[in-house]
PDB file of all heavy atoms in Angstrom:
ATOM      1  N   GLY A 129      -0.482  -2.177  32.727  1.00 98.00           N
ATOM      2  CA  GLY A 129      -0.523  -1.078  31.767  1.00 98.00           C
ATOM      3  C   GLY A 129       0.870  -0.485  31.550  1.00 98.00           C
ATOM      4  O   GLY A 129       1.221  -0.173  30.419  1.00 98.00           O
ATOM      5  N   LEU A 130       1.650  -0.362  32.586  1.00 97.00           N
ATOM      6  CA  LEU A 130       3.014   0.216  32.455  1.00 97.00           C
ATOM      7  C   LEU A 130       3.853  -0.716  31.601  1.00 97.00           C
ATOM      8  O   LEU A 130       4.598  -0.264  30.689  1.00 97.00           O
ATOM      9  CB  LEU A 130       3.660   0.449  33.822  1.00 97.00           C
ATOM     10  CG  LEU A 130       4.975   1.130  33.796  1.00 97.00           C
ATOM     11  CD1 LEU A 130       4.880   2.592  33.298  1.00 97.00           C
ATOM     12  CD2 LEU A 130       5.691   1.127  35.180  1.00 97.00           C
ATOM     13  N   TYR A 131       3.676  -2.017  31.804  1.00 98.00           N
ATOM     14  CA  TYR A 131       4.440  -3.031  31.016  1.00 98.00           C
ATOM     15  C   TYR A 131       4.052  -2.999  29.590  1.00 98.00           C
ATOM     16  O   TYR A 131       4.876  -3.062  28.658  1.00 98.00           O
ATOM     17  CB  TYR A 131       4.194  -4.402  31.667  1.00 98.00           C
ATOM     18  CG  TYR A 131       4.945  -5.516  31.008  1.00 98.00           C
ATOM     19  CD1 TYR A 131       6.338  -5.608  31.205  1.00 98.00           C
ATOM     20  CD2 TYR A 131       4.288  -6.498  30.270  1.00 98.00           C
ATOM     21  CE1 TYR A 131       6.994  -6.693  30.616  1.00 98.00           C
ATOM     22  CE2 TYR A 131       4.978  -7.535  29.696  1.00 98.00           C
ATOM     23  CZ  TYR A 131       6.389  -7.597  29.856  1.00 98.00           C
ATOM     24  OH  TYR A 131       7.044  -8.666  29.293  1.00 98.00           O
ATOM     25  N   ASP A 132       2.738  -2.778  29.335  1.00 98.00           N
ATOM     26  CA  ASP A 132       2.163  -2.825  28.012  1.00 98.00           C
ATOM     27  C   ASP A 132       2.252  -1.469  27.295  1.00 98.00           C
ATOM     28  O   ASP A 132       1.831  -1.379  26.095  1.00 98.00           O
ATOM     29  CB  ASP A 132       0.675  -3.280  28.155  1.00 98.00           C
ATOM     30  CG  ASP A 132       0.166  -3.870  26.900  1.00 98.00           C
ATOM     31  OD1 ASP A 132       0.909  -4.495  26.150  1.00 98.00           O
ATOM     32  OD2 ASP A 132      -1.042  -3.666  26.611  1.00 98.00           O
ATOM     33  N   TYR A 133       2.690  -0.474  27.943  1.00 98.00           N
ATOM     34  CA  TYR A 133       2.735   0.904  27.396  1.00 98.00           C
ATOM     35  C   TYR A 133       3.232   0.957  25.974  1.00 98.00           C
ATOM     36  O   TYR A 133       2.669   1.597  25.120  1.00 98.00           O
ATOM     37  CB  TYR A 133       3.641   1.688  28.340  1.00 98.00           C
ATOM     38  CG  TYR A 133       3.905   3.140  28.101  1.00 98.00           C
ATOM     39  CD1 TYR A 133       3.417   4.127  29.002  1.00 98.00           C
ATOM     40  CD2 TYR A 133       4.648   3.575  27.023  1.00 98.00           C
ATOM     41  CE1 TYR A 133       3.688   5.475  28.773  1.00 98.00           C
ATOM     42  CE2 TYR A 133       4.859   4.934  26.783  1.00 98.00           C
ATOM     43  CZ  TYR A 133       4.398   5.845  27.645  1.00 98.00           C
ATOM     44  OH  TYR A 133       4.670   7.181  27.441  1.00 98.00           O
ATOM     45  N   PRO A 134       4.410   0.289  25.641  1.00 98.00           N
ATOM     46  CA  PRO A 134       4.891   0.415  24.255  1.00 98.00           C
ATOM     47  C   PRO A 134       3.936  -0.169  23.188  1.00 98.00           C
ATOM     48  O   PRO A 134       3.988   0.222  22.054  1.00 98.00           O
ATOM     49  CB  PRO A 134       6.208  -0.357  24.308  1.00 98.00           C
ATOM     50  CG  PRO A 134       6.536  -0.586  25.714  1.00 98.00           C
ATOM     51  CD  PRO A 134       5.263  -0.537  26.484  1.00 98.00           C
ATOM     52  N   VAL A 135       3.104  -1.167  23.609  1.00 98.00           N
ATOM     53  CA  VAL A 135       2.177  -1.719  22.654  1.00 98.00           C
ATOM     54  C   VAL A 135       1.073  -0.733  22.378  1.00 98.00           C
ATOM     55  O   VAL A 135       0.699  -0.537  21.218  1.00 98.00           O
ATOM     56  CB  VAL A 135       1.611  -3.058  23.183  1.00 98.00           C
ATOM     57  CG1 VAL A 135       0.555  -3.612  22.249  1.00 98.00           C
ATOM     58  CG2 VAL A 135       2.709  -4.111  23.396  1.00 98.00           C
ATOM     59  N   LEU A 136       0.596  -0.058  23.421  1.00 98.00           N
ATOM     60  CA  LEU A 136      -0.414   1.002  23.218  1.00 98.00           C
ATOM     61  C   LEU A 136       0.196   2.117  22.375  1.00 98.00           C
ATOM     62  O   LEU A 136      -0.501   2.670  21.487  1.00 98.00           O
ATOM     63  CB  LEU A 136      -0.901   1.515  24.583  1.00 98.00           C
ATOM     64  CG  LEU A 136      -1.904   2.685  24.497  1.00 98.00           C
ATOM     65  CD1 LEU A 136      -3.201   2.289  23.777  1.00 98.00           C
ATOM     66  CD2 LEU A 136      -2.341   3.112  25.948  1.00 98.00           C
ATOM     67  N   MET A 137       1.463   2.387  22.594  1.00 98.00           N
ATOM     68  CA  MET A 137       2.112   3.465  21.790  1.00 98.00           C
ATOM     69  C   MET A 137       2.132   3.045  20.289  1.00 98.00           C
ATOM     70  O   MET A 137       1.935   3.879  19.410  1.00 98.00           O
ATOM     71  CB  MET A 137       3.516   3.715  22.319  1.00 98.00           C
ATOM     72  CG  MET A 137       4.236   4.778  21.602  1.00 98.00           C
ATOM     73  SD  MET A 137       5.704   5.282  22.535  1.00 98.00           S
ATOM     74  CE  MET A 137       6.702   5.926  21.250  1.00 98.00           C
ATOM     75  N   ALA A 138       2.441   1.776  20.004  1.00 98.00           N
ATOM     76  CA  ALA A 138       2.420   1.288  18.620  1.00 98.00           C
ATOM     77  C   ALA A 138       1.018   1.479  18.027  1.00 98.00           C
ATOM     78  O   ALA A 138       0.890   1.919  16.878  1.00 98.00           O
ATOM     79  CB  ALA A 138       2.850  -0.126  18.546  1.00 98.00           C
ATOM     80  N   ALA A 139       0.020   1.166  18.848  1.00 99.00           N
ATOM     81  CA  ALA A 139      -1.378   1.328  18.346  1.00 99.00           C
ATOM     82  C   ALA A 139      -1.720   2.792  18.088  1.00 99.00           C
ATOM     83  O   ALA A 139      -2.329   3.133  17.080  1.00 99.00           O
ATOM     84  CB  ALA A 139      -2.334   0.723  19.373  1.00 99.00           C
ATOM     85  N   ASP A 140      -1.241   3.692  18.970  1.00 98.00           N
ATOM     86  CA  ASP A 140      -1.495   5.116  18.776  1.00 98.00           C
ATOM     87  C   ASP A 140      -1.015   5.562  17.398  1.00 98.00           C
ATOM     88  O   ASP A 140      -1.694   6.296  16.671  1.00 98.00           O
ATOM     89  CB  ASP A 140      -0.701   5.938  19.795  1.00 98.00           C
ATOM     90  CG  ASP A 140      -1.054   5.692  21.251  1.00 98.00           C
ATOM     91  OD1 ASP A 140      -2.194   5.205  21.498  1.00 98.00           O
ATOM     92  OD2 ASP A 140      -0.204   5.920  22.109  1.00 98.00           O
ATOM     93  N   ILE A 141       0.205   5.107  17.043  1.00 98.00           N
ATOM     94  CA  ILE A 141       0.827   5.581  15.797  1.00 98.00           C
ATOM     95  C   ILE A 141       0.176   4.917  14.577  1.00 98.00           C
ATOM     96  O   ILE A 141      -0.174   5.572  13.642  1.00 98.00           O
ATOM     97  CB  ILE A 141       2.337   5.226  15.861  1.00 98.00           C
ATOM     98  CG1 ILE A 141       3.037   5.952  16.985  1.00 98.00           C
ATOM     99  CG2 ILE A 141       2.982   5.475  14.529  1.00 98.00           C
ATOM    100  CD1 ILE A 141       4.376   5.396  17.393  1.00 98.00           C
ATOM    101  N   LEU A 142       0.024   3.605  14.709  1.00 98.00           N
ATOM    102  CA  LEU A 142      -0.424   2.849  13.497  1.00 98.00           C
ATOM    103  C   LEU A 142      -1.895   2.920  13.249  1.00 98.00           C
ATOM    104  O   LEU A 142      -2.323   2.692  12.120  1.00 98.00           O
ATOM    105  CB  LEU A 142       0.084   1.366  13.648  1.00 98.00           C
ATOM    106  CG  LEU A 142       1.615   1.242  13.656  1.00 98.00           C
ATOM    107  CD1 LEU A 142       2.046  -0.122  14.081  1.00 98.00           C
ATOM    108  CD2 LEU A 142       2.167   1.615  12.280  1.00 98.00           C
ATOM    109  N   LEU A 143      -2.642   3.327  14.245  1.00 98.00           N
ATOM    110  CA  LEU A 143      -4.078   3.526  14.055  1.00 98.00           C
ATOM    111  C   LEU A 143      -4.314   4.589  12.958  1.00 98.00           C
ATOM    112  O   LEU A 143      -5.313   4.605  12.241  1.00 98.00           O
ATOM    113  CB  LEU A 143      -4.713   4.065  15.392  1.00 98.00           C
ATOM    114  CG  LEU A 143      -6.207   4.214  15.473  1.00 98.00           C
ATOM    115  CD1 LEU A 143      -6.951   2.926  15.142  1.00 98.00           C
ATOM    116  CD2 LEU A 143      -6.622   4.658  16.867  1.00 98.00           C
ATOM    117  N   TYR A 144      -3.332   5.486  12.817  1.00 98.00           N
ATOM    118  CA  TYR A 144      -3.426   6.555  11.794  1.00 98.00           C
ATOM    119  C   TYR A 144      -2.476   6.253  10.629  1.00 98.00           C
ATOM    120  O   TYR A 144      -2.267   7.131   9.787  1.00 98.00           O
ATOM    121  CB  TYR A 144      -3.116   7.902  12.483  1.00 98.00           C
ATOM    122  CG  TYR A 144      -4.078   8.150  13.596  1.00 98.00           C
ATOM    123  CD1 TYR A 144      -3.711   7.877  14.919  1.00 98.00           C
ATOM    124  CD2 TYR A 144      -5.365   8.574  13.346  1.00 98.00           C
ATOM    125  CE1 TYR A 144      -4.612   7.988  15.956  1.00 98.00           C
ATOM    126  CE2 TYR A 144      -6.281   8.711  14.393  1.00 98.00           C
ATOM    127  CZ  TYR A 144      -5.891   8.395  15.694  1.00 98.00           C
ATOM    128  OH  TYR A 144      -6.809   8.521  16.713  1.00 98.00           O
ATOM    129  N   ARG A 145      -1.888   5.048  10.655  1.00 98.00           N
ATOM    130  CA  ARG A 145      -0.894   4.651   9.630  1.00 98.00           C
ATOM    131  C   ARG A 145       0.122   5.819   9.461  1.00 98.00           C
ATOM    132  O   ARG A 145       0.494   6.174   8.333  1.00 98.00           O
ATOM    133  CB  ARG A 145      -1.573   4.324   8.337  1.00 98.00           C
ATOM    134  CG  ARG A 145      -2.384   3.022   8.425  1.00 98.00           C
ATOM    135  CD  ARG A 145      -3.156   2.786   7.152  1.00 98.00           C
ATOM    136  NE  ARG A 145      -3.510   1.359   6.973  1.00 98.00           N
ATOM    137  CZ  ARG A 145      -4.757   0.994   6.647  1.00 98.00           C
ATOM    138  NH1 ARG A 145      -5.682   1.859   6.448  1.00 98.00           N
ATOM    139  NH2 ARG A 145      -4.974  -0.282   6.459  1.00 98.00           N
ATOM    140  N   ALA A 146       0.566   6.328  10.627  1.00 98.00           N
ATOM    141  CA  ALA A 146       1.497   7.440  10.581  1.00 98.00           C
ATOM    142  C   ALA A 146       2.870   6.908  10.097  1.00 98.00           C
ATOM    143  O   ALA A 146       3.272   5.784  10.461  1.00 98.00           O
ATOM    144  CB  ALA A 146       1.650   8.073  11.959  1.00 98.00           C
ATOM    145  N   THR A 147       3.510   7.735   9.293  1.00 98.00           N
ATOM    146  CA  THR A 147       4.807   7.330   8.728  1.00 98.00           C
ATOM    147  C   THR A 147       6.009   7.923   9.492  1.00 98.00           C
ATOM    148  O   THR A 147       7.094   7.405   9.389  1.00 98.00           O
ATOM    149  CB  THR A 147       4.880   7.777   7.234  1.00 98.00           C
ATOM    150  OG1 THR A 147       4.613   9.168   7.228  1.00 98.00           O
ATOM    151  CG2 THR A 147       3.891   6.961   6.371  1.00 98.00           C
ATOM    152  N   HIS A 148       5.797   9.016  10.188  1.00 98.00           N
ATOM    153  CA  HIS A 148       6.846   9.740  10.854  1.00 98.00           C
ATOM    154  C   HIS A 148       6.462  10.109  12.294  1.00 98.00           C
ATOM    155  O   HIS A 148       5.330  10.624  12.495  1.00 98.00           O
ATOM    156  CB  HIS A 148       7.241  10.984  10.085  1.00 98.00           C
ATOM    157  CG  HIS A 148       7.843  10.680   8.718  1.00 98.00           C
ATOM    158  ND1 HIS A 148       7.078  10.449   7.601  1.00 98.00           N
ATOM    159  CD2 HIS A 148       9.119  10.523   8.345  1.00 98.00           C
ATOM    160  CE1 HIS A 148       7.854  10.160   6.596  1.00 98.00           C
ATOM    161  NE2 HIS A 148       9.095  10.204   7.052  1.00 98.00           N
ATOM    162  N   VAL A 149       7.332   9.894  13.224  1.00 98.00           N
ATOM    163  CA  VAL A 149       7.033  10.156  14.637  1.00 98.00           C
ATOM    164  C   VAL A 149       8.128  10.989  15.291  1.00 98.00           C
ATOM    165  O   VAL A 149       9.198  10.487  15.585  1.00 98.00           O
ATOM    166  CB  VAL A 149       6.884   8.808  15.405  1.00 98.00           C
ATOM    167  CG1 VAL A 149       6.356   9.083  16.837  1.00 98.00           C
ATOM    168  CG2 VAL A 149       5.882   7.913  14.654  1.00 98.00           C
ATOM    169  N   PRO A 150       7.854  12.294  15.486  1.00 97.00           N
ATOM    170  CA  PRO A 150       8.882  13.153  16.159  1.00 97.00           C
ATOM    171  C   PRO A 150       8.895  12.867  17.684  1.00 97.00           C
ATOM    172  O   PRO A 150       7.844  12.980  18.318  1.00 97.00           O
ATOM    173  CB  PRO A 150       8.391  14.559  15.870  1.00 97.00           C
ATOM    174  CG  PRO A 150       6.925  14.467  15.641  1.00 97.00           C
ATOM    175  CD  PRO A 150       6.680  13.054  15.038  1.00 97.00           C
ATOM    176  N   VAL A 151      10.003  12.443  18.193  1.00 95.00           N
ATOM    177  CA  VAL A 151      10.146  12.139  19.654  1.00 95.00           C
ATOM    178  C   VAL A 151      11.498  12.544  20.151  1.00 95.00           C
ATOM    179  O   VAL A 151      12.434  12.773  19.343  1.00 95.00           O
ATOM    180  CB  VAL A 151       9.923  10.613  19.946  1.00 95.00           C
ATOM    181  CG1 VAL A 151       8.450  10.227  19.862  1.00 95.00           C
ATOM    182  CG2 VAL A 151      10.773   9.775  19.014  1.00 95.00           C
TER     183      VAL A 151
END
Side-chain angles (χ1 to χ4, degrees):
L130 185 66
Y131 184 70
D132 202 33
Y133 180 115
V135 175
L136 178 58
M137 181 166 156
D140 299 337
I141 298 163
L142 294 168
L143 187 57
Y144 304 97
R145 291 172 158 135
T147 52
H148 294 85
V149 186
V151 283

